[in-house]
Amino acid sequence: EILGKRAFSITLTEGKKHEIRRMLNALNCTVMRLIREKLLFFTTRGLTPGSIRELSEIEKSKLLTTLKLTD
């Protein structure tokens, strides 16, 4: 998704930030900054850089189930 003259959004369902850098390097584009906005079902919405928050009991349960760490 194009966000502006020098900004756009890429959504990967798998992979790492290095993959994005390699893809854009192949297009002769330089990556200035990457921001991970979502991991699994967690988002960074509402958090300032460096801040943390506790997971709710529902989030903890969902995480453990997703990672197959519970019955």
Side-chain angles (χ1 to χ4, degrees):
E1 176 183 353
I2 297 173
L3 302 175
K5 206 171 193 179
R6 297 182 60 190
F8 55 92
S9 174
I10 296 176
T11 301
L12 291 181
T13 56
E14 291 184 15
K16 297 181 172 59
K17 64 181 179 182
H18 301 291
E19 184 176 357
I20 294 171
R21 290 183 189 278
R22 284 192 293 270
M23 289 181 344
L24 292 173
N25 188 41
L27 298 173
N28 294 320
C29 295
T30 302
V31 176
M32 302 300 288
R33 181 174 66 161
L34 285 176
I35 300 171
R36 183 184 306 265
E37 293 184 348
K38 184 176 177 185
L39 179 62
L40 296 174
F41 43 85
F42 301 108
T43 67
T44 58
R45 196 172 318 139
L47 293 176
T48 57
S51 67
I52 61 171
R53 70 170 180 86
E54 286 194 38
L55 300 179
S56 69
E57 290 302 318
I58 293 171
E59 289 173 321
K60 289 177 189 177
S61 176
K62 193 173 179 182
L63 178 61
L64 293 174
T65 301
T66 301
L67 298 176
K68 297 181 171 84
L69 298 174
T70 187
D71 295 330

